Amino acid sequence: MKSWAIERGDDGRGHVIDPARACHGEGEGEHRFRWIHLDGNAAETKEWLDAHGRLPSTVPYALTAQETRPRCDPIENGALVNLRGPIEGDRPFEDRLASIRVWVEASRAISVSFRPLAGLDEIRTAMEEGRVDDPGDIVSRLAIGITRRLDPVIAQLGDLVDDCETALDPDSAFETRRRIASARADAIVYRRFVVPEREALARLAELPADWIHDDDRLHLRETADRFARMGEELEAVRERAALIHEQLTDIRSEQIERRGLLISVVALVFLPLTFISGLLGMNVDGIPFAHEPWAFAAVCGLCALIAVAITAWFMAAHWFRR
């Protein structure tokens, strides 16, 4: 990822120019719309913004901050907008969402990102082809691109929870528990940024700025509504995941209780048998029928009869009913 700048020419198309020249906008290009994108990982980005950005004093710090949340803050004649969206491609990042910080004002937009945001190259191509005219188009296209890519991801979380609800079986409880825990963690992470993103876009749509046109306001309101719907879906996923986790815990408890009951029944069946065998196995004189050849078979038959009788009693008492 590198820094670049595009200026909208008289022909309506975007032309790549030097970022420093785009910031100063001298001569005829002073009133042309310019978009400057900077790599936040570059060590000189903050110094470059101070030297060439001509920004309010707090904006360079906000544009280069490491940790951000979605927001929209009007400052003087412009606005600082922070958004988060899916990362471009399969990148080895712990966080699945990349943040982009945008300073927008009349005839100029300055964006900074530390990680590649999915869809950013599409907006650059659209500007080069003459389909982006003003700062409002930049922000609205960013918001639309984020919702278009994030909506299927959240829908997949809902489908995963649906699958887990239909797979509440004791034999697959461990796998279902692992999947539902992953879905709940993802829902919490996404909701952390989706909800404030809706608030940021809704606030931006209401700003009394001339560089936000009516069609841009309409797009911003629509994307804010989509973010609101995604936030509600994520909240539902989180609540359903918590409920499924409780059901899985109940299933696990029932399994433990059933196995403990089986062990108890087996112990109760063999308890009188152990007493009889221990009583007749004492090494003392006077054991009845100790020298009779049929005594052993009789004792075995008695033990079997007692075991069958105890088992039958447990079954009649419905101890083995599920």
Side-chain angles (χ1 to χ4, degrees):
M1 187 170 58
K2 59 182 181 178
S3 302
W4 42 265
I6 302 177
E7 181 181 71
R8 187 173 183 269
D10 295 333
D11 57 356
R13 301 177 66 88
H15 304 278
V16 178
I17 61 174
D18 179 72
R21 177 189 166 193
C23 276
H24 290 291
E26 300 174 349
E28 296 181 356
E30 184 176 0
H31 300 291
R32 295 174 181 173
F33 172 55
R34 303 172 301 280
W35 179 20
I36 304 99
H37 181 74
L38 304 175
D39 183 2
N41 295 304
E44 66 276 8
T45 298
K46 173 63 169 55
E47 289 75 11
W48 191 95
L49 288 171
D50 291 332
H52 303 283
R54 296 188 300 173
L55 300 170
S57 59
T58 59
V59 174
Y61 293 97
L63 289 175
T64 55
Q66 290 287 341
E67 297 294 332
T68 62
R69 293 197 67 190
R71 64 172 181 167
C72 173
D73 294 327
I75 303 175
E76 297 183 4
N77 296 324
L80 177 66
V81 182
N82 290 347
L83 298 175
R84 276 189 177 250
I87 295 177
E88 179 75 34
D90 296 328
R91 305 291 181 117
F93 295 119
E94 295 182 1
D95 194 349
R96 302 179 185 180
L97 299 178
S99 63
I100 183 167
R101 308 135 175 93
V102 188
W103 167 256
V104 283
E105 59 183 352
S107 302
R108 189 175 65 158
I110 301 177
S111 59
V112 178
S113 61
F114 287 80
R115 290 174 292 180
L117 178 70
L120 190 64
D121 291 338
E122 296 179 7
I123 303 175
R124 175 180 177 178
T125 301
M127 184 169 180
E128 292 175 346
E129 295 175 353
R131 291 182 282 120
V132 175
D133 300 328
D134 51 56
D137 287 344
I138 295 290
V139 180
S140 62
R141 283 179 175 269
L142 279 172
I144 292 172
I146 290 173
T147 55
R148 188 175 69 247
R149 290 171 174 81
L150 200 56
D151 203 4
V153 176
I154 295 176
Q156 288 179 359
L157 288 178
D159 294 339
L160 176 59
V161 175
D162 292 339
D163 294 339
C164 291
E165 285 180 336
T166 59
L168 286 176
D169 184 83
D171 296 333
S172 58
F174 179 79
E175 178 64 19
T176 303
R177 195 177 203 172
R178 183 187 63 81
R179 295 173 64 193
I180 203 64
S182 176
R184 186 183 183 190
D186 291 342
I188 292 174
V189 171
Y190 286 125
R191 189 180 182 278
R192 178 186 174 192
F193 300 106
V194 165
V195 173
E197 205 145 20
R198 176 192 65 81
E199 298 172 355
L201 293 175
R203 185 177 185 185
L204 180 62
E206 301 301 327
L207 284 184
D210 296 336
W211 44 268
I212 304 180
H213 297 164
D214 291 340
D215 58 337
D216 296 328
R217 297 183 189 276
L218 178 61
H219 292 152
L220 291 172
R221 292 190 186 101
E222 290 178 351
T223 52
D225 289 340
R226 293 183 66 180
F227 273 113
R229 183 184 58 79
M230 286 189 287
E232 293 171 356
E233 177 69 17
L234 289 171
E235 181 65 22
V237 167
R238 189 177 64 170
E239 293 178 355
R240 291 167 61 195
L243 181 59
I244 293 174
H245 188 273
E246 292 178 1
Q247 292 175 330
L248 290 172
T249 302
D250 293 340
I251 290 175
R252 183 63 175 170
S253 299
E254 290 177 1
Q255 288 179 323
I256 295 175
E257 290 177 1
R258 191 177 301 115
R259 292 167 183 172
L261 176 61
L262 180 60
I263 294 173
S264 299
V265 169
V266 172
L268 289 173
V269 169
F270 280 93
L271 183 61
L273 307 184
T274 304
F275 173 73
I276 294 174
S277 62
L279 182 64
L280 297 179
M282 290 188 296
N283 191 19
V284 295
D285 292 333
I287 301 297
F289 311 111
H291 301 288
E292 298 295 336
W294 49 265
F296 178 76
V299 172
C300 291
L302 178 62
C303 291
L305 181 62
I306 294 173
V308 171
I310 296 175
T311 303
W313 184 87
F314 280 122
M315 295 182 66
H318 304 295
W319 277 50
F320 298 105
R321 179 175 297 177
R322 295 176 63 90

